[in-house]
Amino acid sequence: MSRVSFVALMAAVAVLSATAAEAADIYGGSAPPPVQPYGGSAYLPSSPSNWNGAYLGAQGGMAWGSARNKVKGVSTRSADTSGGNVGLYGGVNANVGANFVVGAEADINYSGENGTSVNGGKAYRAGSDWNGTVRGRVGVAFDRIMPYATGGIAFVDNGVRGNGNSSSSTEVGMALGAGVEGKITDRVSAKLEYMYLGTPDGSHTLGKQKVESDQSSNILRLGAAYKF
C-alpha cells in the first residue's frame, strides 16, 4: 500500500470515529460529568422540602374587630374592640404530589380583645377572653416556603359587662384565614397568619336587661412550631 493511500485510510478512520462518537452522544450516550463548583464537589440540586408530619407551636399577635350590643327598647351602637391574642397550635401535614400540602390544625388562645359602647346612657363592655379553632389547611410548597389558605370551625367566648353585672357564653361560628409558613430548619418553622372569626349573637342577661352581643374578630399573628 502506498504511503498516500495509508494516510488517506487513517484520515477516513479518524473521521468515522469522530462521527460515531458524536452520534453516540446524541442518541443515548453517557451524560457529561456534573459541573464542578469551586469547592470541587459535584453540584446536586436539592430535593423539594418534606412537609409531612405532626407539629406543635406557639403563636401571638393582635386582634381587632367590632361588637354590637343589642338592648331591647334601646338604641344599638357598635364598639370597636382590640387586644392581644396568644396561644398554642398543633396539627399534621401531608405532601400531595410534588408541591401541594394538605393538613389539619387546631389552636386555643387567650384573648384580651374588648371594647365599650354606650346604649341608652349606659355603658356596655363587650369582649372575648379566649378563642379556638379546628381547621383544614391547603398550601403550595416552594421548597422551604409555603403560602396557604385555611378554614373551619371557630369557638369564641362572647362576654358582656353592664349594669353592674357580667355574662358570657361560648358561640360556634366560622374561621377563615391565610398565611405563609417557612422552614428555618428541617424541624423548626415560622408563620405569619391572618385569621377572621365570625360567630352568631350571644344572648345575655344583665340584671333585668336582656342583651344580645354580636362580635367578630380579625387576628394577625406570628407563630413558630417544631415538627416531630
Side-chain angles (χ1 to χ4, degrees):
M1 178 182 294
S2 67
R3 181 174 297 179
V4 175
S5 299
F6 180 79
V7 172
L9 178 61
M10 291 299 101
V13 170
V15 171
L16 290 173
S17 298
T19 304
E22 184 177 355
D25 289 341
I26 295 174
Y27 298 102
S30 59
V35 177
Q36 300 287 333
Y38 289 110
S41 59
Y43 169 77
L44 296 175
S46 59
S47 59
S49 187
N50 182 6
W51 290 84
N52 287 320
Y55 57 90
L56 181 65
Q59 60 192 7
M62 288 297 297
W64 72 95
S66 64
R68 181 179 293 274
N69 299 320
K70 304 170 186 177
V71 183
K72 187 175 182 180
V74 180
S75 60
T76 300
R77 295 182 181 179
S78 295
D80 293 330
T81 60
S82 62
N85 192 280
V86 295
L88 300 174
Y89 68 98
V92 61
N93 286 323
N95 285 91
V96 178
N99 298 98
F100 288 98
V101 178
V102 298
E105 186 173 283
D107 61 46
I108 184 71
N109 308 278
Y110 165 78
S111 174
E113 183 182 0
N114 58 73
T116 301
S117 63
V118 177
N119 295 55
K122 296 180 180 179
Y124 295 89
R125 190 169 185 82
S128 177
D129 290 335
W130 63 269
N131 61 69
T133 67
V134 177
R135 297 170 280 107
R137 291 206 315 169
V138 178
V140 180
F142 299 94
D143 194 15
R144 303 181 75 86
I145 302 294
M146 182 181 69
Y148 63 88
T150 182
I153 302 173
F155 304 89
V156 179
D157 170 59
N158 182 309
V160 177
R161 295 181 180 89
N163 299 330
N165 297 280
S166 63
S167 174
S168 66
S169 61
T170 300
E171 305 301 326
V172 180
M174 66 175 180
L176 295 174
V180 59
E181 186 171 358
K183 286 196 171 189
I184 300 172
T185 70
D186 288 340
R187 294 286 184 182
V188 179
S189 65
K191 71 174 182 178
L192 172 63
E193 182 177 75
Y194 165 78
M195 190 71 62
Y196 170 79
L197 306 180
T199 57
D201 293 358
S203 297
H204 307 278
T205 300
L206 302 177
K208 296 181 179 180
Q209 192 116 56
K210 299 290 185 180
V211 179
E212 290 187 352
S213 181
D214 177 14
Q215 301 180 19
S216 62
S217 298
N218 303 276
I219 304 170
L220 185 64
R221 57 198 179 192
L222 293 170
Y226 180 84
K227 187 179 80 168
F228 299 97

